[in-house]
């Protein structure tokens, strides 16, 4: 018999009326009248309250969940000992689910459940029952509380909170190492039977892992699981209730387990010997190749440090570890020379930087390899015997003199002849030249230390067979001094002597300079070119000299200026000397020796203007200029005379002009033929206000075609001006030469009013709109004036 058949029979046995007839009898315990009250409580009105003992006898109701029958599920029966069976009592039910989930038969007290109940939603329901008199509606029994408890059935399978778990465990872990714990929950009642008792088992993942049945802890089941062989495992765990017995419900989950890496593999070079090649011209620091040891581990467990531990090239090469690629980069440590050595051997070691002591037994975590480096020959440029050259030469050597020689050679095994040349960018004046065959430098122009003491040249050495292979070297030429410049006065001296000077009076101290730079320093001697009766020179022996007077008094009217030649010489070899002439003026001085006048006749100089006076004059000029500018601006901005002279002088279409025209017959002033009515064209007439320069026969102008567009444009503008009562009169000024074929009002001019006979009626002006109101007032008031 299966578990489902067993449950079905059990439910039928529970629910059949003749098998399940729970009845709660509410009986009154017979108690003598005098013992009915356990206490007497006086009321405020003097009466005594009697407390009766309850006549209910209660038990809990039990109801199985998930009822599947077609009728309402019977819960139990309420009965009062005062129910005589005559239908006088009425049973009332209240509380959790009363009237909806639970209903009661008012006459019999039978309680039924109206629908299926899930214990996982609510485990028990608390209700209150009361029996009342149907006629008086008064309770015959006190209200009492009872509980309907839901009995659980195994209707929920165990569930895991996650469908897929992810876990990890280090590789090479011992058997029984905990990986992860999974826990399933069962919504059934754990206190009732084994419905919620869960047992764990492994469905997939053996023999690598196991699970504890009670706790759900997954542990390793095999020793020395190697990540390098297999890294990912998928384990399926089953959780089954009913203690894992037959018929229990179950749920499963998947656990993805990853073996994490540990450093259990040493680095290994794939080759015992590695061959590399490098050009002898490779500069220091050039990477010539790389070596790499493979490590099956990952991350920091695979980190390797490289070093050169032996070989004949330890001083010529170096190795550095590239962290990103875990390679050993071999670089040039010193310059290489194919002619000196063509092969180097290195012993390179690779070792793990993070070693796990637990795996020392697996062997040393390092490996070695042999690296052989072959040096390849290249066509090298010439090599100078020195890194730079310094030549010293006197500035007085003759042109073409050799000042030094540079030497270079071809370092290749097959030597090539060398050609020398000068870089002309370092010798723009072409003072030097070089022999292309032997490298001898010589002068091509005279030297002058005073112009340039140093010359920095660049010599180029190139192979004749391969001119592209060149080498440059710096050549410094120092020009040594030769005493070839005579000393001169240091500055220009403005010397004067007072008329009242006495013999031996100092009038000037002089000094000299020399462009030469002797090794012992400068030393100058001063003397007069010839004996002078008026002045003398006294050498101070410190490269200065004093000019002294030799006579008493000078007269500027007789001689106003003296010229004194002074000879200056140096002490180098050959001795150089020069003659400098001092110009000495005779001046009038005061008693203190201060110069007052040096000319033959005193000149009276006008008193100079002070700074304040100059500023005042300048300000006056600026003010005058501003006034002129303002006057010109005001004259340009003078306002024109307005068309309307006053507010009272309002005219319609009347413009005042200071320039009087030629009259009505003046038709020569403007050419308005395009605006004229073709029917009104007249012959040109001579102007009466001027004398014509030449007489000519008037000719008739050919008839112009009627321009409809112009006429329509004029009519539109006329209408706009007539219908605008708000615009000032001068804003609506318009001149029309085309008046139309005819005018109903005929002429409006007042010039011909004196020739008309009788009075005219101007009332029609009022009908023409607001523009003619003023004319209507002026001409329409004639009758009233006459009457008055």
């Amino acid at each position: 018999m299966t578990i489902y058949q067993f449950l079905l029979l059990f439910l039928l046995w529970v629910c059949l009326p003749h098998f399940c007839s729970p009845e709660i009898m509410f009986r009154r315990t017979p108690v003598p009248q005098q013992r009915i009250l356990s206490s007497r409580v006086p009321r405020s009105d003097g009466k005594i309250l009697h407390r009766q003992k309850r006549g209910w006898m209660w038990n809990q109701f039990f109801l199985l969940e998930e009822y599947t029958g077609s009728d309402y599920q019977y819960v139990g029966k309420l009965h009062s000992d005062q129910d005589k069976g005559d239908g006088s009592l009425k049973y009332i039910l209240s509380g959790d689910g009363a009237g909806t989930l639970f209903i009661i038969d008012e006459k019999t007290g039978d309680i039924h459940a109206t629908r299926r109940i899930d214990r996982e939603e609510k485990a028990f329901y608390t209700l209150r029952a009361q029996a009342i008199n149907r006629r008086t509606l008064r309770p015959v029994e006190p209200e009492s509380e009872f509980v309907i408890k839901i009995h659980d059935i195994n209707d929920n399978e165990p569930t895991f909170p996650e469908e897929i778990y992810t876990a990890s465990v280090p590789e090479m872990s011992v058997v029984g190492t905990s990986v992860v714990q999974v826990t399933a929950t069962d919504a059934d009642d754990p206190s009732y039977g084994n419905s919620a008792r869960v047992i764990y088992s492994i469905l997939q993942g053996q023999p690598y892992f196991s699970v504890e049945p009670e706790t759900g802890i997954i542990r390793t089941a095999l020793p020395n699981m190697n990540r390098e062989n297999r890294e990912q495992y998928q384990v399926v765990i089953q959780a089954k209730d009913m203690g894992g017995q037959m018929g229990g419900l179950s749920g499963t989950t998947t656990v993805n387990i990853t073996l994490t890496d540990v450093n259990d593999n040493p680095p290994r070079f794939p080759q015992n010997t590695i061959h590399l090649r490098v050009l002898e011209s490779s500069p220091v620091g050039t990477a010539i190749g790389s070596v790499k040891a493979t490590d099956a581990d990952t991350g920091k467990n695979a980190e390797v440090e490289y070093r050169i531990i032996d070989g004949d090239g330890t001083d010529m090469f170096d190795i550095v570890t590239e962290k990103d690629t875990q390679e050993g980069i071999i670089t040039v440590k010193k310059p290489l020379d194919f002619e000196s050595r063509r092969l180097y051997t290195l012993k390179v070691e690779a070792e793990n930087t993070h070693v796990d002591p637990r795996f020392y037994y697996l062997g040393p975590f390092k490996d070695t390899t042999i690296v052989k480096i072959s040096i390849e020959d290249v066509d090298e440029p010439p090599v100078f015997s020195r890194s730079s050259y310094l030549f010293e030469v006197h500035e007085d050597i003759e042109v073409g003199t050799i000042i030094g020689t540079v030497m270079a050679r071809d370092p290749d095994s097959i030597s090539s002849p060398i050609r020398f040349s000068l870089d002309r960018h370092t010798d723009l004046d072409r003072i030097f030249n070089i022999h292309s065959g032997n490298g001898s430098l010589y002068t091509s122009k005279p030297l002058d230390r005073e112009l340039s003491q140093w010359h920095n040249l660049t010599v180029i050495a190139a192979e004749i067979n391969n001119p592209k292979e060149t080498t440059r070297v710096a050549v410094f030429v120092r020009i040594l001094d030769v005493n070839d410049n005579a000393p001169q006065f240091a500055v220009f001296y403005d010397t004067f002597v007072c008329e009242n000077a006495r013999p031996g009076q100092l009038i000037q101290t002089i000094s000299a300079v020399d462009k030469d730079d002797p090794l012992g320093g400068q030393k100058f001697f001063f003397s007069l070119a010839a004996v002078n009766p008026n002045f003398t020179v006294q050498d101070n022996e410190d490269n200065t000299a004093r000019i002294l007077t030799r006579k008493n008094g000078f007269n500027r009217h007789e001689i106003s200026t003296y010229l004194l030649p002074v000879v200056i010489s140096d002490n180098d070899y050959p001795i150089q000397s020069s003659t400098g002439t001092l110009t000495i003026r005779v001046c009038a001085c005061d008693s203190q020796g201060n110069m007052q006048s040096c000319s033959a006749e005193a000149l009276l100089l006008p008193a100079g203007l002070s700074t304040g006076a100059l500023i005042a004059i300048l300000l006056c000029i600026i003010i005058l200029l501003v006034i002129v500018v303002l006057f010109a601006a005001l004259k340009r901005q003078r306002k024109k005379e307005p068309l309307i002279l006053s507010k009272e002088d309002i005219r319609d279409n009347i413009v005042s002009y200071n320039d009087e025209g030629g009259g009505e017959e003046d038709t020569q002033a403007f050419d308005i033929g395009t605006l004229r009515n073709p029917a009104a064209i007249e012959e040109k007439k001579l102007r009466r206000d001027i004398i014509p320069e030449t007489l000519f026969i008037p000719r008739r102008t050919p008839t112009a075609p009627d321009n409809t567009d112009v006429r329509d444009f004029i009519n539109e503008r006329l209408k706009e001006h007539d219908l605008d009562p708000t615009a000032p009169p001068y804003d609506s000024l318009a001149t029309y030469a085309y008046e139309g074929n005819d005018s109903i009002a005929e002429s409006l001019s007042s010039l011909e009013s004196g020739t008309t006979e009788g009075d005219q009626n101007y009332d029609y002006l009022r009908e023409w709109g607001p523009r003619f109101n003023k004319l209507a007032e002026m001409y329409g008031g004639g009758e009233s004036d006459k009457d008055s």
Side-chain angles (χ1 to χ4, degrees):
M1 180 182 294
T2 63
I3 186 64
Y4 301 104
Q5 294 173 343
F6 174 78
L7 289 175
L8 182 61
L9 291 176
F10 178 76
L11 290 174
L12 290 175
W13 179 83
V14 170
C15 298
L16 287 178
H18 58 276
F19 288 111
C20 182
S21 180
E23 181 178 354
I24 303 300
M25 300 298 295
F26 305 131
R27 302 181 184 276
R28 181 179 298 279
T29 304
V31 179
Q33 182 68 28
Q34 66 273 14
R35 296 181 62 188
I36 292 176
L37 298 176
S38 62
S39 62
R40 297 184 178 183
V41 181
R43 289 175 55 181
S44 59
D45 55 1
K47 295 182 181 183
I48 302 300
L49 293 177
H50 299 274
R51 177 178 297 170
Q52 295 182 353
K53 296 182 72 176
R54 182 183 302 170
W56 301 85
M57 296 178 64
W58 288 98
N59 285 317
Q60 287 183 342
F61 287 123
F62 294 94
L63 187 64
L64 283 176
E65 65 171 335
E66 303 295 342
Y67 172 72
T68 58
S70 59
D71 298 332
Y72 288 165
Q73 187 179 6
Y74 183 74
V75 178
K77 184 180 183 66
L78 298 179
H79 185 73
S80 175
D81 57 359
Q82 296 188 16
D83 188 358
K84 305 302 182 182
D86 55 359
S88 62
L89 294 182
K90 179 181 180 180
Y91 293 96
I92 299 174
L93 189 65
S94 61
D96 294 341
T100 57
L101 180 58
F102 300 103
I103 58 175
I104 188 170
D105 191 333
E106 296 179 353
K107 294 181 180 181
T108 63
D110 293 331
I111 301 174
H112 290 82
T114 60
R115 59 179 175 84
R116 295 171 59 183
I117 299 176
D118 189 359
R119 188 203 66 83
E120 285 71 37
E121 294 181 359
K122 193 173 180 67
F124 63 89
Y125 296 85
T126 302
L127 295 96
R128 294 180 298 277
Q130 192 175 32
I132 63 174
N133 191 295
R134 189 179 295 276
R135 292 192 302 273
T136 64
L137 301 179
R138 298 187 64 181
V140 298
E141 294 289 349
E143 184 180 59
S144 294
E145 188 175 83
F146 66 96
V147 175
I148 299 177
K149 190 172 183 181
I150 310 302
H151 271 183
D152 183 44
I153 65 172
N154 189 18
D155 59 341
N156 292 280
E157 71 277 2
T159 59
F160 290 93
E162 300 289 341
E163 294 183 2
I164 298 177
Y165 289 84
T166 301
S168 62
V169 63
E171 63 173 333
M172 308 298 290
S173 297
V174 298
V175 176
T177 301
S178 175
V179 179
V180 68
Q181 182 179 14
V182 295
T183 303
T185 58
D186 195 319
D188 294 327
D189 189 1
S191 63
Y192 182 76
N194 293 328
S195 298
R197 184 187 173 194
V198 179
I199 297 298
Y200 301 94
S201 61
I202 184 168
L203 301 181
Q204 177 183 328
Q206 294 176 332
Y208 307 103
F209 298 95
S210 63
V211 63
E212 292 184 359
E214 298 292 338
T215 61
I217 298 176
I218 302 174
R219 300 181 182 275
T220 58
L222 282 181
N224 300 328
M225 286 193 294
N226 197 339
R227 183 197 66 84
E228 288 72 32
N229 295 332
R230 183 177 177 182
E231 185 176 3
Q232 298 289 337
Y233 295 86
Q234 189 175 76
V235 179
V236 178
I237 302 296
Q238 181 190 63
K240 190 174 184 180
D241 59 11
M242 298 296 294
Q245 299 177 3
M246 185 69 68
L249 304 179
S250 64
T252 61
T253 187
T254 300
V255 182
N256 292 327
I257 301 176
T258 302
L259 295 184
T260 59
D261 185 57
V262 298
N263 192 7
D264 58 338
N265 293 280
R268 291 289 181 263
F269 283 105
Q271 298 174 349
N272 294 329
T273 304
I274 299 174
H275 295 274
L276 297 176
R277 295 178 179 274
V278 60
L279 297 176
E280 64 172 334
S281 60
S282 300
V284 174
T286 302
I288 64 175
S290 63
V291 295
K292 184 174 183 179
T294 59
D295 194 323
D297 298 322
T298 61
K300 68 176 184 178
N301 296 322
E303 291 182 1
V304 178
E305 187 71 26
Y306 298 91
R307 56 180 172 267
I308 300 174
I309 60 175
D310 197 5
D312 54 10
T314 56
D315 57 340
M316 301 299 294
F317 300 94
D318 198 2
I319 189 169
V320 293
T321 303
E322 179 64 36
K323 297 297 183 181
D324 296 334
T325 61
Q326 289 297 306
E327 293 179 335
I329 309 299
I330 299 177
T331 60
V332 178
K333 189 176 182 180
K334 290 183 179 181
L336 305 175
D337 187 8
F338 173 81
E339 288 72 26
S340 300
R341 187 162 191 169
R342 303 182 181 186
L343 181 65
Y344 293 91
T345 302
L346 303 176
K347 187 176 183 180
V348 178
E349 180 185 72
E351 184 180 9
N352 280 137
T353 56
H354 302 280
V355 180
D356 193 337
R358 296 177 299 171
F359 304 105
Y360 279 155
Y361 67 92
L362 296 178
F365 286 82
K366 57 185 177 180
D367 193 16
T368 59
T369 188
I370 300 299
V371 179
K372 293 184 177 182
I373 303 175
S374 299
I375 310 301
E376 294 184 350
D377 187 25
V378 296
D379 191 2
E380 299 177 89
V383 177
F384 284 95
S385 60
R386 301 180 189 175
S387 58
S388 63
Y389 293 87
L390 173 62
F391 299 137
E392 293 183 348
V393 59
H394 287 89
E395 61 178 326
D396 60 346
I397 63 174
E398 296 180 359
V399 174
T401 302
I402 296 177
I403 63 173
T405 301
V406 297
M407 291 182 294
R409 65 179 180 85
D410 185 4
D412 297 324
S413 57
I414 302 177
S415 180
S416 173
I418 306 299
R419 181 185 300 274
F420 299 93
S421 62
L422 271 177
D423 186 355
R424 288 304 175 183
H425 293 90
T426 60
D427 185 26
L428 297 177
D429 295 332
R430 295 183 177 272
I431 300 175
F432 299 93
N433 210 338
I434 190 170
H435 289 288
S436 61
N438 57 16
S440 298
L441 277 171
Y442 60 92
T443 60
S444 58
K445 289 183 180 181
L447 303 179
D448 190 352
R449 189 202 66 86
E450 286 71 37
L451 294 179
S452 178
Q453 186 177 358
W454 285 92
H455 294 273
N456 301 325
L457 307 177
T458 298
V459 176
I460 303 173
E463 295 181 7
I464 295 179
N465 297 334
N466 188 6
K468 293 182 179 180
E469 295 295 335
T470 61
T471 305
R472 294 169 175 264
V473 70
V475 178
F476 305 102
V477 180
R478 180 182 180 184
I479 308 302
L480 301 179
D481 185 42
V482 174
N483 191 23
D484 57 348
N485 292 279
Q488 298 176 352
F489 283 129
V491 296
F492 173 78
Y493 296 101
D494 185 13
T495 308
F496 70 92
V497 61
C498 295
E499 288 183 311
N500 55 358
R502 296 180 180 179
Q505 184 174 344
L506 174 66
I507 62 173
Q508 183 69 60
T509 300
I510 59 176
S511 61
V513 292
D514 194 337
K515 295 180 180 180
D516 295 324
D517 187 16
L519 297 177
Q522 299 283 1
K523 179 64 176 177
F524 303 121
F525 302 95
F526 300 89
S527 62
L528 292 178
V531 178
N532 191 296
N534 300 312
F535 304 98
T536 185
V537 174
Q538 182 177 352
D539 195 337
N540 296 326
E541 297 184 356
D542 58 355
N543 293 338
T544 62
R546 296 186 299 169
I547 307 299
L548 305 175
T549 59
R550 296 186 64 181
K551 71 174 184 176
N552 187 9
F554 295 86
N555 191 340
R556 57 176 172 160
H557 297 287
E558 295 178 358
I559 301 176
S560 61
T561 303
Y562 291 92
L563 299 178
L564 182 63
V566 179
V567 178
I568 310 172
S569 58
D570 55 22
N571 66 337
D572 203 359
Y573 179 83
I575 296 176
Q576 300 288 340
S577 64
S578 66
T579 301
T581 302
L582 285 177
T583 303
I584 303 174
R585 295 181 298 163
V586 179
C587 301
C589 304
D590 57 10
S591 59
Q592 302 297 328
N594 298 322
M595 179 183 64
Q596 291 182 342
S597 176
C598 293
S599 60
E601 296 181 358
L603 301 177
L604 297 177
L605 298 178
L609 295 177
S610 63
T611 304
L614 293 176
I615 294 175
I617 293 173
L618 183 60
L619 288 176
C620 291
I621 294 173
I622 293 174
I623 292 172
L624 289 175
L625 291 175
V626 171
I627 292 174
V628 172
V629 172
L630 290 177
F631 180 77
L634 291 175
K635 187 175 181 180
R636 290 184 178 182
Q637 296 180 0
R638 181 178 298 170
K639 294 183 179 180
K640 297 181 179 180
E641 184 179 354
L643 297 177
I644 299 178
L645 300 178
S646 65
K647 294 182 180 181
E648 299 297 332
D649 188 8
I650 300 176
R651 311 170 191 175
D652 287 343
N653 297 336
I654 299 177
V655 182
S656 176
Y657 295 97
N658 292 330
D659 185 13
E660 184 175 357
E664 294 181 356
E665 296 181 4
D666 184 7
T667 60
Q668 303 296 327
F670 307 98
D671 184 9
I672 56 175
T674 58
L675 298 178
R676 286 181 175 176
N677 184 5
I681 296 178
E682 298 179 358
E683 296 181 356
K684 293 186 178 180
K685 299 179 181 180
L686 298 177
R687 295 185 60 169
R688 299 179 181 180
D689 56 334
I690 61 174
I691 300 175
E693 296 178 358
T694 59
L695 295 178
F696 59 90
I697 300 175
R699 60 185 180 90
R700 186 174 184 85
T701 305
T703 303
D706 189 6
N707 196 332
T708 306
D709 294 338
V710 175
R711 183 170 64 250
D712 293 342
F713 173 80
I714 294 174
N715 290 333
E716 279 184 39
R717 292 296 178 266
L718 179 61
K719 186 176 180 180
E720 289 177 5
H721 287 292
D722 288 342
L723 297 179
D724 187 9
T726 59
Y730 50 83
D731 284 346
S732 61
L733 178 63
T735 302
Y736 300 100
Y738 175 60
E739 197 174 0
N741 293 331
D742 197 0
S743 176
I744 301 175
E746 297 180 353
S747 178
L748 298 179
S749 175
S750 62
L751 299 177
E752 297 178 0
S753 61
T755 62
T756 58
E757 296 179 1
D759 296 330
Q760 297 184 14
N761 184 10
Y762 296 98
D763 293 337
Y764 57 83
L765 295 176
R766 300 183 184 276
E767 299 174 1
W768 287 6
R771 295 293 184 184
F772 297 91
N773 288 341
K774 189 63 178 179
L775 289 176
E777 292 177 3
M778 294 173 59
Y779 290 95
E783 296 291 334
S784 61
D785 293 339
K786 290 181 180 180
D787 294 340
S788 60

